[in-house]
């Protein structure tokens, strides 16, 4: 059995572990050991379905010290007018370059792939999946849990319903492996994976009538137009100012969601169906039009069993149709695990801090660890914010995220770091001074942020589930 020592042991080299490590070593001379059971860095992207892309712009993804992609706005195609969104292959290649060309040559980072971490009786260890050799690790400073929010993805999840012999059910990854046209497609799931599957089928020429969409719960969605950084930042700030205004003026929860929809900050798939979930999924208006062309939507709750002739759901059953392919898109994606303090004795648990921006959150955590002394201050700068699930979770999520923004603005060092951080969606605000859209958005934002926080605190009363650690 081998033994090594390090300042930090980072368990998981996915997006979170990589962004944290990059930011930590940029601001300190700490030594880091990264352990991952996968062969290389990049986490879940190694098992992603082939047509997946980032849901947000590449300009805001990866690590702080290296650009991902070109940061040139797409001029044509389905993403025209927006910053490019990398494919899974591009993301995995990017992380490998970050590791090979930056982290390892820094002399501060050692990477052990194909290795399972486990807690040892009196410390930590990892075991190679190739040799079986176990190495113990003495950690001088902290263990960093970069797998707490490891998403549940289609390739590795087990369908939560029974499948009878003769039923044709495939994970979304296998859509590209079809060798002959099925009689139709039934897409199972309400989330971003199901949205991606429907858009891919439509984009590949499958007529909307050939798609049946089993959508147990309708989601609130974000509009991609308001998620763009750099040159398009004024629109993003306009979006923030509009949802803060909606929050400040809301009379109750129903009125809040009515206002958020009216100002374009939440959108629904079906004008006739009230959304009940919110999981940060993003679409463009063009994609929305395509998705609405699928009219055969089944709302009978979750699928419980698929047979050759019948699909059983929580609230009824429908014919399965022989020759139909059922596309399982029911993996949960983002994990809604309970928020816990990011910094605790000997441990850092990477979590979402700014709403729907896990990678920026991990980088901020790395910088804060490197530059601040006590855990109370660190947790104030990095308050954990649970991923949302139910629609009402928008309220505590936004409230905690806005409180954190105020903490950052009043800390000159954090503010300065944020203005250097490419992962920070609001980086480069100063470049837009004098832009009328930016100026009016900022005026609306400053007027509404404090009233919005206090109204959201009122509206939060009685909400279970997602809740920020305070
Ligand atoms: C389809 C999709 C699109 C997304 N698009 C965006 C986007 O556009 N913008 C954005 O900001 N976020 C996006 N996200 C979210 C973001 O990419 C990350 O998925 C999120 O932060 C989770 O990454 P992670 O590093 O926490 O988890 P992972 O990528 O799963 O990494 C965790 C790693 O830990 C390793 N591990 C776990 N347990 C052990 C163990 N015991 N021993 C060794 N290794 C272990 C795993 O092998 C894994 O590699 C998207 C997510 C999905 C699923």
């Amino acid at each position: 059995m081998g033994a090594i020592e390090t300042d930090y042991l980072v368990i998981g080299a996915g997006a979170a572990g990589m962004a944290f490590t990059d930011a930590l070593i940029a601001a300190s001379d700490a030594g880091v050991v990264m352990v991952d059971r996968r062969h290389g860095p990049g986490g879940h992207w190694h098992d992603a379905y082939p047509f997946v892309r980032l849901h947000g712009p590449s300009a805001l993804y990866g690590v702080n010290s290296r650009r991902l992609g070109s940061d040139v706005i797409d001029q044509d195609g389905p993403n025209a007018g927006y910053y490019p969104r990398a494919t899974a292959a591009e993301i995995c290649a990017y992380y490998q370059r970050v590791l090979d060309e930056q982290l390892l040559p820094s002399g501060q980072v050692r990477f052990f792939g194909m290795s399972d971490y486990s807690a040892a009786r009196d410390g930590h260890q990892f075991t190679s999946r190739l040799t079986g050799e176990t190495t113990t690790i003495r950690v001088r400073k902290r263990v960093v849990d970069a797998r707490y929010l490891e998403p549940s993805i289609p390739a590795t999840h087990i369908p939560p319903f029974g499948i009878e012999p003769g039923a044709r059910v495939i994970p979304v990854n296998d859509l590209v492996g079809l060798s002959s046209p099925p009689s139709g497609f039934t897409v199972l799931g309400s989330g971003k994976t199901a949205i991606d599957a429907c858009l891919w089928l439509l984009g590949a020429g499958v007529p909307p009538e050939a798609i049946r969409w089993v959508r147990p719960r309708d989601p609130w969605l974000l509009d991609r137009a308001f998620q763009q950084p750099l040159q398009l930042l004024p629109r993003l700030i306009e979006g923030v100012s509009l949802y803060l205004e909606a929050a400040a003026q809301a009379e109750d929860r129903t009125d809040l969601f009515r206002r958020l929809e009216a100002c374009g900050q939440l959108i629904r798939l079906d004008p006739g169906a009230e959304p009940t979930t919110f999981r940060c999924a993003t679409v463009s208006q063009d994609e929305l039009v395509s998705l609405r062309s699928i009219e055969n939507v089944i709302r009978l709750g979750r699928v419980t069993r698929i047979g050759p002739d019948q699909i059983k759901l929580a609230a009824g059953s429908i014919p399965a149709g022989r020759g139909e392919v059922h596309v399982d898109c029911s993996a949960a994606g983002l994990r809604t695990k309970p928020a816990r303090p990011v910094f605790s004795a000997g441990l850092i648990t990477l979590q979402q801090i700014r709403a729907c921006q896990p990678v920026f959150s991990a980088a901020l955590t790395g910088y804060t660890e490197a530059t601040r002394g006590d855990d109370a201050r660190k947790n104030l700068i990095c308050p954990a914010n649970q991923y949302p699930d139910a629609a009402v979770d928008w309220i505590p999520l936004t409230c905690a995220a806005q409180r954190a923004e105020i903490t950052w603005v009043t800390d000159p060092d954090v503010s300065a770091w944020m203005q250097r951080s490419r992962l920070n969606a609001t980086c480069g605000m100063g470049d837009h001074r004098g832009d009328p859209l930016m100026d009016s958005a900022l005026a609306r934002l400053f007027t509404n942020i404090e009233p919005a926080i206090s109204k959201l605190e009122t509206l939060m009363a009685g909400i279970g589930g997602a809740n920020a650690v305070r």
Side-chain angles (χ1 to χ4, degrees):
M1 183 187 281
I4 57 176
E5 280 191 28
T6 184
D7 294 322
Y8 293 89
L9 166 62
V10 177
I11 308 163
M18 291 294 281
F20 171 89
T21 302
D22 175 77
L24 177 83
I25 66 162
S28 74
D29 58 5
V32 179
V33 163
M34 301 187 83
V35 174
D36 202 299
R37 57 166 69 120
R38 289 187 164 97
H39 71 281
H44 70 85
W45 293 106
H46 286 283
D47 296 318
Y49 39 100
F51 47 85
V52 75
R53 284 181 180 272
L54 276 173
H55 296 165
S58 304
L60 295 175
Y61 202 79
V63 300
N64 254 337
S65 65
R66 190 182 193 113
R67 209 160 68 172
L68 167 57
S70 65
D71 288 359
V72 175
I73 295 171
D74 281 339
Q75 294 305 315
D76 39 38
N79 199 52
Y82 300 132
Y83 283 99
R85 297 180 294 128
T87 62
E90 288 165 342
I91 296 168
C92 291
Y94 165 88
Y95 280 123
Q96 194 64 51
R97 281 197 297 273
V98 171
L99 182 70
D100 292 343
E101 297 170 13
Q102 293 170 233
L103 300 189
L104 298 180
S106 73
Q108 289 175 257
V109 178
R110 285 172 284 171
F111 176 76
F112 296 88
M114 299 296 292
S115 298
D116 284 301
Y117 164 83
S118 57
R121 202 150 38 100
D122 49 358
H124 308 279
Q125 63 183 31
F126 61 87
T127 304
S128 164
R129 290 186 160 200
L130 299 177
T131 65
E133 190 186 343
T134 294
T135 304
T136 59
I137 316 163
R138 194 173 86 75
V139 179
R140 288 187 288 263
K141 291 188 173 159
R142 299 216 212 219
V143 172
V144 182
D145 187 347
R147 61 188 168 152
Y148 186 64
L149 297 181
E150 185 179 11
S152 163
I153 56 165
T156 50
H157 103 131
I158 296 166
F161 45 80
I163 303 171
E164 293 170 15
R168 200 169 170 203
V169 181
I170 60 168
V172 62
N173 298 51
D174 290 0
L175 263 179
V176 298
L178 291 179
S179 52
S180 58
S183 62
F185 296 87
T186 298
V187 175
L188 312 170
S190 317
K192 184 62 183 156
T193 307
I195 289 175
D196 282 354
C198 291
L199 289 171
W200 184 78
L201 288 169
L202 293 167
V206 174
E209 313 79 63
I211 303 172
R212 181 168 60 165
W213 192 348
V214 174
R215 216 155 74 206
R217 311 186 293 169
D218 269 45
W220 281 117
L221 303 168
L222 300 169
D223 186 337
R224 185 162 296 134
F226 292 101
Q227 316 296 322
Q228 303 294 312
L230 303 170
Q231 273 173 267
L232 304 177
L233 183 56
R235 198 82 203 282
L236 184 149
I237 300 296
E238 183 193 28
V240 176
S241 74
L242 288 171
Y243 69 65
L244 290 178
E245 184 177 62
Q249 295 177 356
E251 284 162 22
D252 53 34
R253 286 187 210 157
T254 308
D255 185 46
L256 170 67
F257 284 94
R258 190 187 60 72
R259 286 174 186 274
L260 290 170
E261 186 174 22
C263 69
Q265 294 312 298
L266 288 180
I267 48 185
R268 61 175 90 196
L269 280 172
D270 182 341
E274 187 64 25
T276 55
T277 66
F278 172 66
R279 296 177 65 82
C280 300
T282 304
V283 293
S284 67
Q285 290 293 335
D286 285 352
E287 288 172 344
L288 191 62
V289 171
S290 296
L291 293 165
R292 285 180 175 168
S293 70
I294 301 171
E295 292 180 357
N296 191 356
V297 177
I298 311 294
R299 290 193 181 83
L300 290 171
R302 291 203 163 128
V303 173
T304 56
R305 195 161 194 84
I306 301 188
D309 301 311
Q310 198 183 48
I311 304 178
K312 288 193 179 141
L313 303 106
S317 57
I318 53 172
R322 289 195 178 260
E324 180 107 358
V325 158
H326 302 85
V327 188
D328 178 23
C329 300
S330 63
L334 301 180
R335 296 244 190 229
T336 52
K337 284 189 178 169
R340 50 164 74 159
V342 170
F343 297 94
S344 56
L347 178 67
I348 295 173
T349 309
L350 297 183
Q351 290 159 87
Q352 171 184 243
I353 298 165
R354 196 187 243 173
C356 313
Q357 292 178 34
V359 179
F360 165 76
S361 302
L364 176 64
T365 307
Y367 178 73
T368 304
E369 170 65 6
T371 57
R372 295 297 190 282
D374 71 292
D375 279 1
R377 181 68 194 155
K378 289 178 186 175
N379 279 321
L380 201 65
I381 296 170
C382 300
N385 197 347
Q386 185 175 318
Y387 276 135
D389 182 26
V392 290
D393 294 342
W394 187 94
I395 298 170
L397 176 84
T398 307
C399 187
Q402 291 305 317
R403 282 200 206 107
E405 297 282 346
I406 289 180
T407 306
W408 302 336
V409 169
T410 51
D411 184 320
D413 178 61
V414 171
S415 288
W417 177 82
M418 286 181 66
Q419 283 312 306
R420 300 193 297 275
S421 166
R422 62 170 285 276
L423 300 177
N424 169 25
T426 59
C427 183
M429 291 238 289
D431 301 344
H432 297 273
R433 240 177 250 125
D435 176 324
L437 179 58
M438 181 62 114
D439 289 349
S440 68
L442 282 175
R444 192 186 297 113
L445 188 154
F446 292 135
T447 307
N448 286 292
I449 185 162
E450 305 255 0
I453 290 173
S454 46
K455 183 62 67 66
L456 292 172
E457 281 167 351
T458 313
L459 297 178
M460 255 158 71
I463 298 177
N467 235 325
V469 167
R470 281 179 289 278

